[in-house]
Amino acid sequence: MTSSLAFYFSYQDTLAGKKDQIRSVVQVSASQVLHLRALKKSQQISEADYLQRLRLLIYSTSYSNGSYIFLMTQEARIYLHPKRPELEGLLINEVPHIKNGEAIAASFKQIAANPEKSQFWKLYLPKPDGGPSLEKLTYAQLLPDSDLIIGTGVYLDDLIPVYINRALSYITITLAVLLAAFATAVLISRNIVQPIIILSGQMKRLSSGDIDQEIRFTHHKDEIGQIAQSLEEFRDHLIENKRLRYMQEHVQFLENFDPVTRLYNRRAIGEALEREIIRNFENQEQVSFLFIRLDLLRNLTIELGDEQRDQILIETANRLRQILSINHRLARIGEGCFGLMLINKPAHINLEDVADSILNTIEQPIQLDNLQIQIGARIGIASYPEDGDQQFELIGRSEIAAKTARKREQGWLYFSQIKGQTAEHKLALWQDLSTAMDQDQFYLVFQPLFDLESNAPLSAETLLRWTHPTLGPISPAVFVPLAEQSGLISRLDHWVLNAVAKQCRNWLDKDIVFPRVAINLSGISFLRNDFEQKLQSIFSQYNVTLEHIELELTEGVLIEDLGRIQEKLKRVRNLGVNISIDDFGTGYSSLSRIKSLPVDHIKIDKSFIDDIDTNPQDLKIVQAIILMAQGLQLHVVAEGVETERQLSILREEQCDVVQGYLLSRPLPVADYEALIDEDLIIEGD
């Protein structure tokens, strides 16, 4: 269709152009002839001169590839014909090979009858060089005041090459336009339509949950790029929302489940046990709790590593699941400890049989790669209401029974079978712990830590003391384990944090410049999901910044769940808190295992310092710890320094910080304030 239109418009354009050309030629030539006639009329030239110059004009006028003009008389007689002079003087219908002479003569007579009107005709005339008559486009007009008609024409077949050339030009232009349009369409498709289709598909996949795809066209600088970037931001929001949902679900999971065995954790089993106690309060139905303690799991962890230890725990948990019934609730409540709660125990089930079945199951060999491991266990049993009416009492007393079973080399033991004043004394203290916190029977003392380079107090370790109203002072070595066993350790840690924040506020109000305050914290409190918020809340209540605080965590806490604790430590340190590893060397870790942990200090346990001046092995251990720690850019604290010789050795080995009775005992608040004001110089042998 486009080609046909191109040909048609080319033909019309060529024809119109030729018409304009021959009209112009005739009009110009006519003016020249009239000029000659005027010269003759004014006798400026003779008749002969006029005829000669007229002939020269007609014969010499040529244009457009040999086209010519001619003169005719009104009666259609050829007057001058530059191409066929032999025809001059003949009537048009007398010219040989003219098929339509009458029609041609009639055309010229029509011009004579209407001299003011020039017109075009299509006549059939032979070419001057012979041949058949061909269609010729002719234009003629009557010269005023004469009987002459001047005209010219063009054979239409001579226009074919021009027509074709123009048609080809139109076609070329048309094709160029079409190609440009096609290229533009392809460009639009590639740069606009196709990206929109692709981005639309990506949006649909995003809405279907495919958030891992990479959004395309984000590098574009146009509107497509803006759309792609917005889609990428939308995808990033979806990813972040998914991550937050996962974290929330993971946090909720960790609040109630152990991440290794997927069993209930200590908190969840304690709450479940509390609910069962309340449910059975009226009818006093028995609820039994079995504390299952695996033997030598720590030793296996040292030999095999955390991963193999976890495999042992998982296999043990899976075996226990298979032998338990619907009325049993199994939990992991410690590093190598499981707890089992029996609900509505049927009368025909014997607790001893359950315990024996558990022990037999645990003692079956465990295949770890090419290694076969066999472990044992001890079980302590406590029951409601005989052994207590609180969940922490049942869990704590069943743990005591399990420990006692191990000492007695028994497989299992009822708590009721334990006799002796020591157990009774502990039971009484359990009851008094909660009351002691409510009545502020606890108080704080501070033992300074000294920087061996500046000889100044670097920090002070906060120590908790308990004066019982009837029993007098109770050692932390007694009441802290009891708090852990009874589930009160978190409350005790909260009391300490609150007391430290309050004391710091008191010093600030007195304008006393004090070094950092180190706080011993249990792993249970530190690993709680809300620990950071609780820490900030307590200290912000007293308007005390956390830069004043250092937390001391035991080595065992940091190693039991290395992956989880790493992120926890980063978040706590970001609050401005320093972190110390307490009692380093007494656990089962090494600096190579904790090198990735974000901590500030390690404290060498007192047991290595006691004989550092007499035992070469202890000295080598201390030297290795200092060298490795300083290589990891950790400060080293030596605790338990009691002699000047010990202090001198530690100074020689470039220990950073020291603590011990030689320098200062734990001090009450007033004495510690006095110490801060003193210019103390530490010297050794």
Side-chain angles (χ1 to χ4, degrees):
M1 182 65 181
T2 303
S3 299
S4 299
L5 289 173
F7 278 109
Y8 174 76
F9 287 120
S10 175
Y11 170 75
Q12 295 295 329
D13 183 59
T14 303
L15 191 60
K18 276 299 176 185
K19 285 183 177 181
D20 292 339
Q21 185 185 38
I22 60 179
R23 182 188 291 112
S24 297
V25 170
V26 168
Q27 291 173 349
V28 171
S29 299
S31 65
Q32 292 176 337
V33 172
L34 291 174
H35 177 68
L36 290 175
R37 288 180 63 84
L39 291 176
K40 183 187 76 166
K41 186 176 180 180
S42 64
Q43 298 181 351
Q44 294 183 31
I45 59 175
S46 63
E47 179 70 24
D49 194 18
Y50 162 73
L51 292 174
Q52 182 183 1
R53 293 175 68 173
L54 179 61
R55 181 178 296 276
L56 180 62
L57 173 64
I58 299 303
Y59 275 46
S60 63
T61 301
S62 179
Y63 66 95
S64 186
N65 298 327
S67 296
Y68 58 92
I69 61 173
F70 58 85
L71 283 176
M72 301 285 292
T73 64
Q74 293 184 18
E75 57 180 349
R77 188 180 299 276
I78 299 174
Y79 187 76
L80 288 175
H81 196 299
K83 298 295 184 181
R84 298 286 299 274
E86 72 274 10
L87 300 179
E88 293 174 357
L90 297 177
L91 292 172
I92 196 67
N93 53 9
E94 295 175 349
V95 176
H97 309 299
I98 292 182
K99 296 179 180 181
N100 57 347
E102 296 295 336
I104 296 173
S107 297
F108 285 108
K109 290 177 181 179
Q110 186 179 3
I111 294 175
N114 299 282
E116 74 283 351
K117 184 177 181 181
S118 60
Q119 47 186 313
F120 289 92
W121 300 275
K122 288 184 179 179
L123 306 176
Y124 287 87
L125 296 170
K127 288 189 174 183
D129 55 357
S133 295
L134 300 174
E135 188 175 21
K136 185 176 184 179
L137 178 65
T138 303
Y139 177 81
Q141 69 180 40
L142 180 67
L143 293 173
D145 300 325
S146 73
D147 63 345
L148 295 178
I149 297 173
I150 187 169
T152 188
V154 60
Y155 287 96
L156 294 182
D157 66 331
D158 290 340
L159 298 179
I160 291 176
V162 178
Y163 165 64
I164 291 175
N165 287 336
R166 288 202 174 186
L168 290 175
S169 298
Y170 276 116
I171 292 173
T172 302
I173 294 172
T174 302
L175 289 176
V177 171
L178 289 175
L179 287 174
F182 179 75
T184 303
V186 171
L187 189 63
I188 292 174
S189 175
R190 187 182 68 182
N191 293 336
I192 299 178
V193 178
Q194 186 179 9
I196 289 177
I197 292 174
I198 292 174
L199 291 174
S200 176
Q202 291 195 299
M203 184 64 184
K204 184 179 294 184
R205 291 194 295 275
L206 282 177
S207 62
S208 301
D210 182 13
I211 62 175
D212 296 326
Q213 58 180 312
E214 181 179 356
I215 304 301
R216 298 176 59 184
F217 311 113
T218 55
H219 62 283
H220 284 209
K221 304 300 183 182
D222 53 9
E223 290 78 3
I224 294 296
Q226 294 176 1
I227 294 173
Q229 291 164 13
S230 298
L231 191 59
E232 186 176 49
E233 291 179 5
F234 177 66
R235 182 207 61 182
D236 293 342
H237 285 312
L238 291 178
I239 292 174
E240 180 64 14
N241 289 339
K242 181 179 179 180
R243 187 184 70 84
L244 292 175
R245 285 197 304 271
Y246 172 78
M247 289 180 60
Q248 183 179 9
E249 292 171 357
H250 188 61
V251 168
Q252 292 174 347
F253 173 82
L254 293 178
E255 287 180 351
N256 295 288
F257 294 92
D258 171 57
V260 176
T261 62
R262 323 296 285 186
L263 298 175
Y264 286 125
N265 57 22
R266 182 163 189 151
R267 171 185 173 181
I269 196 67
E271 292 176 351
L273 184 57
E274 191 70 30
R275 287 193 298 269
E276 286 304 310
I277 291 173
I278 294 173
R279 191 171 66 86
N280 290 279
F281 182 76
E282 294 293 336
N283 53 24
Q284 294 289 290
E285 289 289 336
Q286 187 180 66
V287 179
S288 298
F289 189 85
L290 280 65
F291 190 98
I292 306 166
R293 185 185 185 92
L294 303 183
D295 292 339
L296 304 178
L297 188 64
R298 276 187 173 270
N299 294 346
L300 290 175
T301 302
I302 299 170
E303 297 295 328
L304 304 177
D306 292 343
E307 184 176 349
Q308 299 285 31
R309 174 205 62 192
D310 291 346
Q311 289 299 319
I312 294 173
L313 291 172
I314 292 170
E315 177 62 23
T316 302
N318 291 337
R319 290 182 181 182
L320 292 177
R321 283 192 186 99
Q322 294 175 2
I323 66 171
L324 301 179
S325 72
I326 193 172
N327 291 324
H328 297 161
R329 294 289 184 273
L330 184 64
R332 182 188 175 197
I333 56 178
E335 180 181 7
C337 304
F338 294 91
L340 176 62
M341 179 176 66
L342 277 65
I343 307 170
N344 296 332
K345 180 179 71 65
H348 65 278
I349 293 181
N350 188 286
L351 286 177
E352 289 86 343
D353 294 338
V354 173
D356 289 336
S357 177
I358 291 172
L359 293 175
N360 291 334
T361 299
I362 293 174
E363 289 170 0
Q364 298 302 312
I366 298 174
Q367 190 69 38
L368 297 176
D369 297 330
N370 297 325
L371 184 65
Q372 197 174 64
I373 302 295
Q374 186 172 15
I375 60 175
R378 312 291 172 175
I379 299 176
I381 306 171
S383 299
Y384 167 82
E386 294 87 353
D387 299 322
D389 58 3
Q390 301 290 329
Q391 56 91 5
F392 65 84
E393 292 179 327
L394 295 183
I395 295 175
R397 291 169 182 178
S398 63
E399 182 178 5
I400 291 175
K403 290 180 179 179
T404 306
R406 182 181 180 183
K407 292 178 182 178
R408 296 182 181 182
E409 297 184 356
Q410 295 179 231
W412 52 265
L413 188 66
Y414 285 101
F415 178 76
S416 59
Q417 295 175 316
I418 299 175
K419 305 295 182 181
Q421 294 182 351
T422 301
E424 294 299 328
H425 177 66
K426 289 183 178 180
L427 291 176
L429 288 179
W430 278 344
Q431 304 295 331
D432 295 338
L433 271 174
S434 181
T435 303
M437 284 181 280
D438 295 336
Q439 296 180 357
D440 282 337
Q441 296 175 11
F442 293 101
Y443 62 94
L444 302 179
V445 294
F446 301 89
Q447 186 174 26
L449 283 74
F450 294 92
D451 188 329
L452 282 180
E453 183 176 353
S454 65
N455 298 327
L458 179 70
S459 61
E461 181 178 0
T462 303
L463 301 173
L464 187 62
R465 296 293 184 260
W466 179 20
T467 301
H468 192 280
T470 57
L471 300 177
I474 306 295
S475 170
V478 174
F479 69 77
V480 171
L482 285 177
E484 292 175 344
Q485 295 168 9
S486 61
L488 293 175
I489 191 64
S490 293
R491 283 190 60 194
L492 195 60
D493 286 336
H494 184 274
W495 190 95
V496 172
L497 290 171
N498 191 79
V500 169
K502 184 177 181 180
Q503 182 59 58
C504 289
R505 181 69 265 163
N506 182 268
W507 284 331
L508 291 171
D509 291 341
K510 293 179 179 179
D511 293 327
I512 296 176
V513 179
F514 58 95
R516 283 182 180 264
V517 179
I519 304 172
N520 289 287
L521 199 67
S522 72
I524 294 175
S525 295
F526 183 75
L527 293 176
R528 288 181 62 91
N529 296 319
D530 61 348
F531 174 73
E532 297 96 308
Q533 292 80 5
K534 181 174 291 187
L535 184 65
Q536 287 180 295
S537 175
I538 291 174
F539 280 82
S540 63
Q541 177 183 350
Y542 292 95
N543 194 23
V544 176
T545 62
L546 291 174
E547 283 77 7
H548 294 293
I549 303 305
E550 178 177 311
L551 295 181
E552 293 189 1
L553 302 170
T554 62
E555 182 183 359
V557 172
L558 299 180
I559 298 305
E560 284 188 7
D561 196 347
L562 191 59
R564 179 186 173 196
I565 201 70
Q566 188 172 8
E567 291 301 320
K568 187 79 168 180
L569 288 172
K570 288 180 181 178
R571 294 195 300 270
V572 172
R573 288 185 82 236
N574 287 338
L575 300 177
V577 179
N578 273 14
I579 303 292
S580 277
I581 300 179
D582 197 12
D583 301 333
F584 187 83
T586 61
Y588 301 93
S589 65
S590 64
L591 281 174
S592 62
R593 293 181 66 192
I594 63 170
K595 62 183 180 181
S596 59
L597 293 178
V599 298
D600 302 283
H601 314 295
I602 61 170
K603 298 183 70 172
I604 304 175
D605 188 68
K606 181 179 183 298
S607 61
F608 296 105
I609 306 300
D610 288 342
D611 299 323
I612 192 175
D613 52 345
T614 58
N615 189 328
Q617 291 181 341
D618 284 349
L619 178 59
K620 290 293 183 184
I621 291 173
V622 171
Q623 289 172 337
I625 292 175
I626 293 174
L627 182 63
M628 293 174 64
Q630 292 178 345
L632 294 173
Q633 297 183 340
L634 298 175
H635 287 89
V636 183
V637 180
E639 58 182 359
V641 179
E642 297 182 353
T643 68
E644 293 185 356
R645 180 57 183 158
Q646 292 171 348
L647 180 63
S648 295
I649 293 174
L650 291 170
R651 191 188 295 277
E652 291 172 3
E653 299 302 331
Q654 297 183 347
C655 181
D656 301 301
V657 183
V658 292
Q659 173 187 11
Y661 282 1
L662 174 67
L663 308 172
S664 175
R665 290 178 173 272
L667 302 173
V669 173
D671 294 341
Y672 179 63
E673 291 175 356
L675 176 68
I676 295 175
D677 292 334
E678 293 179 4
D679 293 328
L680 181 64
I681 298 177
I682 304 173
E683 295 183 356
D685 293 340

